[in-house]
Each structure stands twice: as C-alpha cells, then as structure tokens.
Amino acid sequence: MTAKSIEFMEVGPRDGLQNEKTIISTQDKLELIGRAIEAGARRIEVTSFVNPRRVPQMADAAEVCAGLPDAQGVLYTGLVLNAKGGERAIETGRIHELGAVCVASDRFAIANQGQTSLESVEAAKTLIAMAKDAGLRGQATIGASFGCPFEGEIAEDHVIAMAQALAEADPVEIALADTIGVADPAHVGRLVSSVVEVIAPIPVRVHFHNTRGTGIANVWAAVQAGATIVDAALGGLGGCPFAPGAAGNVSSEDVVYMLHRAGVGTGMDLAKLIDANAWLSGVMDRTLPSMVARAPAFPKPAETMPA
Ligand code: ZN
C-alpha cells in the first residue's frame, strides 16, 4: 500500500553541487539551504566532510555549518566517509546527523573511498557508532545499490546482506542509492521490499539519479514498496566525481509534484521550490535539468470569484 506521506530530504547543497566545476560561494550555499527550509524541508544534507583536494566544492564545509540558520525542527546532515570526516562534522557543533556511505561493489568503493565493499560497511558501522557517542543521529547509504559504473550488475542478495550488516549498528535509517542512475522501477520495487523486510523497524530511504530518465519512476516504485524517506535535489543538479557518466539527482520540484498529485504528502511547498529553482538557475547561469519548474502550473491557480 502506498504511504500517505513521506519524509523529504533535500540533498541539493551536497550531492547537487559537489560535481559542479565552478565553485559556488558559501553564501549561495546558505541561501539554497535557507530556501529549502522556507519551502518546507525538515531534513537537509548540507555538506560533506571529505578531502577538499578530491572534492573542492565541499572545501567550505565548516563555513557552511557556521552559517546554518537555527531552524526549529530542521535536521542538518553531513556526509562523512571516515573518522576524520566524522570528527570534523561533530566539531562544527551544527550537524545533527552523520550520513555514512558504503558501496555495493569493490571497484567503486575503492574509487570513491579507498576501501573494499566489505570494509566500507565496517567503516559505516563505526561512523554510526561515532555519531551516537556524540549524541547525534547516524545513518548509512549503500551507494551503487542498483549497478556499478565499473562492475555492472550488482546482486540483490549482496545489497540485502549489506543492509542487514548495517542494521546491526542500529542507524536511524538505511538508504539505497542508485548513484549512476541505472535502476528501473521493477528492480527498485523488489530490492526496496526486500530491504524494508529485513531491516524493519529501521526505515528505508532512497536516492535516485535521473541519468537515464528512470529517476522519477524509481521514486514511485520505491514509495509503493515501502520506502518512507526520499532524497531529491533542487533543480535536478548533481553527479558523482568518482562515477563516470553519473548525472543529476531526481529534482525536488518533480518529485514533489508527482507525489502531491498522487496523494502522497511531502511537507513541501511546490510554488516555493519553483521560485527557488528560478533563483538557482540564476546562480548557475543555466537552465536546470528539472522539468516541473519550466512547465505551466497545473492545476491552474483558482480564479478569484466575483463578489
Ligand atoms: Zn547521489
């Protein structure tokens, strides 16, 4: 049965921007975060604490955190790959949640974070424990859950076993990520259902990229299969510096439009997201890949009735 509502996670400030060649100013990143909050986001992946030489766009992680608004009920997540990143995130005093990453294939895990798949699961479990020790939330994402840019197909059983192993660390949620945008809705439905079952009551989050046009269909399949938290990035920006050919995230506007039309609540205000898209297009100096912001409003705003 399809959920009546999902929890929306804006990942634009991190995953949306990390692959952009032009460095976006800290001030613009903070404006993006402020606009996401204004549009209703209560969970935002604000930055990553990774090696600034490898991901220069995220070099201002501490500055972004220092500028985060005190917003009631908003949870800020920092992506971390190792203990050093975890310590940097905790030191800011502004991050509510550490987001760890492990990867379903060895070759991508090595390219992304210098570990085998198995080692990356152990590292993620350590980071979840680290978050808890610091009084924060800890969660983990399984990258390349639906396919790997180097190894191709990923066995569903392997991803299910990874989720089971991560669940031992009792994270607040486990995410399945289609890092390179190869998933199809049937695959998503099967894998999400299986993972929901084996990690219950821990919820499943999903993270899709629209590289091959299947992103939005995959969101729908995941929600129907029991995923309760959905990642999206304003404007559909995104890509992974270590995954050849990876393209943008599913866009916040398109995901919110689809779910609202289908009767699934997100807590988001679509009109404010569309305004934010116009602002972000100006910052990026180009049209963004998302679609809803470029289409006429539907249904038409109600006309004022004569008195
Ligand atoms: Zn991503």
Side-chain angles (χ1 to χ4, degrees):
M1 204 190 80
T2 309
K4 285 273 177 283
S5 66
I6 55 101
E7 203 172 288
F8 180 86
M9 174 97 158
E10 173 62 47
V11 300
R14 197 282 301 179
D15 205 14
L17 297 181
Q18 70 171 5
N19 210 29
E20 291 293 327
K21 298 285 168 283
T22 311
I23 299 293
I24 309 302
S25 72
T26 304
Q27 197 189 331
D28 281 337
K29 290 173 183 171
L30 289 169
E31 168 121 22
L32 173 56
I33 291 163
R35 283 175 179 267
I37 294 168
E38 179 63 26
R42 292 297 170 264
R43 293 189 62 186
I44 306 174
E45 193 180 66
V46 291
T47 188
S48 63
F49 297 86
V50 295
N51 186 338
R53 282 192 307 279
R54 298 196 77 206
V55 190
Q57 189 68 260
M58 296 290 120
D60 63 350
E63 290 78 9
V64 168
C65 289
L68 288 172
D70 288 311
Q72 190 78 35
V74 176
L75 291 174
Y76 295 129
T77 300
L79 184 142
V80 294
L81 295 177
N82 52 38
K84 191 179 168 200
E87 281 160 19
R88 282 173 59 206
I90 292 164
E91 266 167 30
T92 67
R94 303 310 310 275
I95 292 290
H96 302 107
E97 177 179 279
L98 298 187
V101 179
C102 52
V103 181
S105 78
D106 284 330
R107 284 186 60 194
F108 188 29
I110 289 163
N112 197 58
Q113 55 210 70
Q115 296 165 326
T116 64
S117 177
L118 214 63
E119 287 167 350
S120 73
V121 171
E122 289 311 310
K125 288 172 74 174
T126 305
L127 288 167
I128 293 162
M130 189 176 178
K132 290 184 172 198
D133 287 346
L136 308 184
R137 291 157 55 101
Q139 42 93 343
T141 294
I142 304 176
S145 283
F146 301 91
C148 166
F150 309 109
E151 295 182 18
E153 306 280 7
I154 296 294
E156 290 174 29
D157 285 349
H158 177 60
V159 177
I160 295 165
M162 287 176 79
Q164 262 172 321
L166 288 169
E168 290 165 11
D170 196 27
V172 293
E173 73 204 10
I174 295 173
L176 300 178
D178 183 18
T179 313
I180 57 169
V182 291
D184 67 83
H187 188 175
V188 169
R190 282 194 310 274
L191 191 57
V192 169
S193 302
S194 301
V195 172
V196 164
E197 202 178 305
V198 300
I199 69 169
I202 298 170
V204 172
R205 193 177 92 241
V206 286
H207 179 100
F208 294 111
H209 284 257
N210 198 36
T211 317
R212 292 167 179 80
T214 56
I216 199 97
N218 292 335
V219 169
W220 182 245
V223 170
Q224 284 197 302
T228 50
I229 309 116
V230 176
D231 285 4
L234 186 72
L237 288 179
C240 174
F242 311 113
N249 288 273
V250 287
S251 89
S252 305
E253 311 88 289
D254 296 3
V255 166
V256 166
Y257 173 83
M258 175 186 73
L259 292 176
H260 287 186
R261 291 292 299 166
V264 179
T266 66
M268 299 298 290
D269 180 326
L270 182 60
K272 287 184 177 162
L273 284 175
I274 291 171
D275 284 349
N277 174 299
W279 167 81
L280 188 58
S281 302
V283 172
M284 306 310 295
D285 196 23
R286 64 174 197 266
T287 303
L288 306 178
S290 59
M291 299 183 77
V292 166
R294 283 182 277 138
F298 184 86
K300 281 184 163 182
E303 283 173 36
T304 313
M305 296 294 287

